[in-house]
Amino acid sequence: VRPEPAAPPSPAAAKRPRAPSRERTIGTKVAGQPAFVLHSYPYKETSLIIDLFTRDFGRVALIAKGAKRPHSQLRGVLQTFQPLSSGWVGKSELRTLTDAEWVGGMLPLEKTALLCGFYLNELLVKLLARDDAHPALFDHYVATLNELAHGEPPTIVLRKFERALLRETGVAAELTRCTETRSRVLPQVLYVVDPERGPRPQRAADAWPGVAGKTLLDMEREDYQDAATQSQSKQLMRFLLAYHLGGAPLNTRQILIDLAQI
């Protein structure tokens, strides 16, 4: 397969609005916060550092003290894709987990859906600034996990989430208007999408992926029933995410590409 041309790397953080002040989270005791574990890794002999995606505080880093001990109550709770009620305290950017309880109510992810879940988590870790709240994106994440667990087509489910992620982080261009003329995108015209500005008509010398206007309009409506829309939106989102990630690879995506799922 011929490799897709990549845009010049540009880190997403440089284009996102500056994260709000962390005064309301750092030094504050938080309890009963809806959350999901995105990632965890060992810390010292018995503890973990966890990356938690929370509804009202965004992505936070916490020390889970003693979580690796055999009889720790946290050991079986701090698992990915399990809805949690969490709490923490601390005055630094790395705070201390004080409570985590399994809430339940969601089906487990299995097989390809599980890999897709790890793909979502990797996107969130790499594209979300810490302590930057995105409650709408949190709700979309929950809905996406539920759709994957219930066997919805990954190609459609993931496209919707990718678009929502770029929109919530402030880097998603409007897809229904041509950036050069501000006229409405026409279904029969071929466009390229400038990651910084949005769609414009495709030129002969363009290396960026060409996309039919119909695909752009379908994406804005979240209508992915058309096979051409599915195929072109996949190429477009792969291109845009590569740009906003500044060239950083997505390990889980490569696995899913190998399985021909996204």
Side-chain angles (χ1 to χ4, degrees):
V1 179
R2 186 179 179 180
E4 298 169 15
S10 175
K15 293 181 287 300
R16 248 188 262 119
R18 189 175 180 180
S21 169
R22 294 192 289 266
E23 290 179 0
R24 68 188 184 92
T25 63
I26 294 180
T28 303
K29 183 176 181 179
V30 175
Q33 180 61 210
F36 287 84
V37 173
L38 295 178
H39 179 66
S40 66
Y41 52 93
Y43 178 71
K44 297 186 176 178
E45 292 185 3
T46 62
S47 301
L48 293 172
I49 290 179
I50 59 171
D51 224 334
L52 212 61
F53 184 34
T54 71
R55 190 177 193 280
D56 299 320
F57 298 92
R59 189 167 69 92
V60 296
L62 305 171
I63 299 175
K65 294 183 177 178
K68 291 169 60 182
R69 291 188 178 126
H71 302 294
S72 170
Q73 292 183 343
L74 295 174
R75 189 179 177 92
V77 174
L78 298 178
Q79 305 293 324
T80 50
F81 316 122
Q82 290 190 9
L84 304 176
S85 174
S86 64
W88 62 83
V89 294
K91 296 183 179 181
S92 65
E93 291 193 22
L94 184 60
R95 281 144 274 180
T96 301
L97 183 73
T98 56
D99 182 53
E101 296 181 3
W102 182 60
V103 176
M106 293 180 66
L107 291 176
L109 299 183
E110 298 178 344
K111 300 179 180 178
T112 300
L114 182 61
L115 287 173
C116 290
F118 284 120
Y119 171 68
L120 301 180
N121 285 7
E122 188 176 6
L123 282 178
L124 292 171
V125 168
K126 290 183 175 177
L127 278 171
L128 287 188
R130 281 208 172 115
D131 301 300
D132 194 1
H134 293 283
L137 183 61
F138 182 90
D139 292 343
H140 201 118
Y141 176 78
V142 175
T144 301
L145 294 182
N146 273 315
E147 288 173 349
L148 289 171
H150 283 86
E152 295 294 322
T155 12
I156 297 176
V157 174
L158 296 182
R159 291 302 82 76
K160 291 179 180 179
F161 183 82
E162 291 165 345
R163 179 75 180 149
L165 176 58
L166 294 187
R167 188 165 52 241
E168 283 295 317
T169 51
V171 297
E174 182 187 1
L175 297 180
T176 62
R177 294 283 172 184
C178 176
T179 59
E180 294 181 341
T181 64
R182 298 310 300 163
S183 59
R184 185 168 175 80
V185 163
L186 299 175
Q188 69 274 18
V189 175
L190 279 178
Y191 296 85
V192 295
V193 178
D194 185 324
E196 300 282 356
R197 301 179 61 201
R200 63 164 174 77
Q202 187 180 41
R203 301 167 187 151
D206 281 328
W208 295 346
V211 185
K214 179 183 182 301
T215 292
L216 299 178
L217 297 173
D218 284 348
M219 290 175 69
E220 202 68 34
R221 293 191 298 264
E222 293 195 339
D223 180 359
Y224 292 88
Q225 297 307 310
D226 188 284
T229 295
Q230 291 184 29
S231 175
Q232 292 182 8
S233 64
K234 175 172 65 176
Q235 301 303 320
L236 176 60
M237 291 310 301
R238 193 178 299 176
F239 163 75
L240 293 176
L241 286 169
Y243 180 90
H244 292 302
L245 285 164
L250 287 167
N251 300 321
T252 46
R253 167 182 271 162
Q254 189 54 54
I255 297 171
L256 286 164
I257 289 173
D258 292 342
L259 293 173
Q261 293 297 327
I262 67 169

